[in-house]
Amino acid sequence: MAKTRVYLDWNATAPMRPQAKAAMLQAMDLQGNPSSVHAEGRAARKIIEDARANIAKAVGARSADVVFTSGGTEANALALVPGLRRNGDVATRLIVSAIEHSSVRSGGRFPVEDVQTAPVTSSGVVDLERLRALLADGAPALVSVMLANNETGAIQPIAEIAELVHAAHGILHVDAVQGFGKIDIDINALNIDLLSVSAHKIGGSKGTGALILTERLSGYEPLIAAGGQEKGRRGGTENLPGIAAFGAAVAAHLDAGAAAMARMQKLRTKLETGLQAVTPEMTVFSSDVPRLPNTTLFSAPSMKAETAVIAFDLEGMAVSSGSACSSGKVHASPVLTAMGVAPETAQGAVRLSLGWDTTEAEIQYLLEAWRSLSNVLVRSSDVVG
């Protein structure tokens, strides 16, 4: 195969879907403010409400529960607010898992002294017994757990977590930014109270997201109250082009259905099998638990992630050393540290993430390149130990 660019960093951001780009350009030509009552304003409002309906359908929520934001980080900040009520119980403290995105680990609007951390197992999933103990030791809590980890792809046992949280009179927030569009989500079947999603992970534009705030909750306080937009839950004129693109991207995802996810899983299996055939001593993190169908985080003896990412790039492949929000910073991954991974193994972790138009030829191209790259990046197996 001739040298080309292969994009395998979809967990950092997905390329815009053609449908999303077309919807965004069309919305840019509209003149009306969505809050205006004239014809131009109503046309803009219809685009927003159609997008809201698509997002609600994708997660089994009511359209009225979808609040548009500037992205997943803001959606998380909106969710993490003291004083939320569910069935009369008030959440006065926050529990977050040890592998959360930095926007959740920061604690939102909770004082630092009211934030606790729930440990995870060596497989990268929440330790349910440790969470149970935290819930029993104090007042009702708002618990924030991601649907699937952005680095390892490990899918969290949300239904079981919801059962524990609600039995302790708590509230459950789920950051679904990475899982949205890669696995099925039913907010009611999983008994989730708040759900964060983002547009650019599913093929929409950057700078748009949403918080699904279910009717089971009360006591919500917006970050931006002025203006009255989004039913007073998030002030400021809505980002019409971004929301239009978001809605179109979700519609395209719904049209693709389960077949697209199954295809990604098949390609990931080919990828991991091929890598391990060349480097049998490599580690694939969270391989013993359910993972996103598109995500592989691996490490090999003596490999340095920074060097590996550059080497892949020079060979025409975009990969990541982990979370894009932490790229360029030389420190151990908080996710791998929480999993108890040895520093010398964690420092070599490279993430490969696939998307809806990743091809078998691109996977084969990477595997062929790995045969030569591994000779430079990885300590030979006869030296191991």
Side-chain angles (χ1 to χ4, degrees), residues 307-360:
T307 305
V309 169
I310 293 170
F312 276 111
D313 190 42
L314 291 173
E315 290 297 318
M317 290 164 283
V319 304
S320 171
S321 59
S323 169
C325 299
S326 300
S327 61
K329 302 174 186 176
V330 183
H331 56 66
S333 158
V335 172
L336 297 182
T337 299
M339 291 167 59
V341 175
E344 60 270 22
T345 301
Q347 70 182 359
V350 170
R351 184 183 68 187
L352 309 174
S353 49
L354 289 56
W356 59 81
D357 68 355
T358 301
T359 66
E360 189 167 352

Side-chain angles (χ1 to χ4, degrees), residues 182 258-275 291-296 354-356 358-364 367:
K182 301 184 182 87
M261 292 182 272
R263 192 183 73 84
M264 279 193 288
Q265 177 122 24
K266 182 178 178 181
L267 288 176
R268 189 192 70 184
T269 299
K270 176 182 176 68
L271 171 66
E272 292 181 356
T273 300
L275 290 172
R291 284 180 291 154
L292 294 176
N294 77 317
T295 304
T296 296
L354 289 56
W356 59 81
T358 301
T359 66
E360 189 167 352
E362 288 175 327
I363 298 301
Q364 189 61 41
L367 292 175

Side-chain angles (χ1 to χ4, degrees), residues 169-193:
H169 307 284
I171 295 170
L172 179 62
H173 165 249
V174 171
D175 176 355
V177 166
Q178 200 59 249
F180 187 46
K182 301 184 182 87
I183 55 176
D184 291 332
I185 304 172
D186 187 322
I187 196 169
N188 292 306
L190 294 173
N191 215 358
I192 297 168
D193 300 307

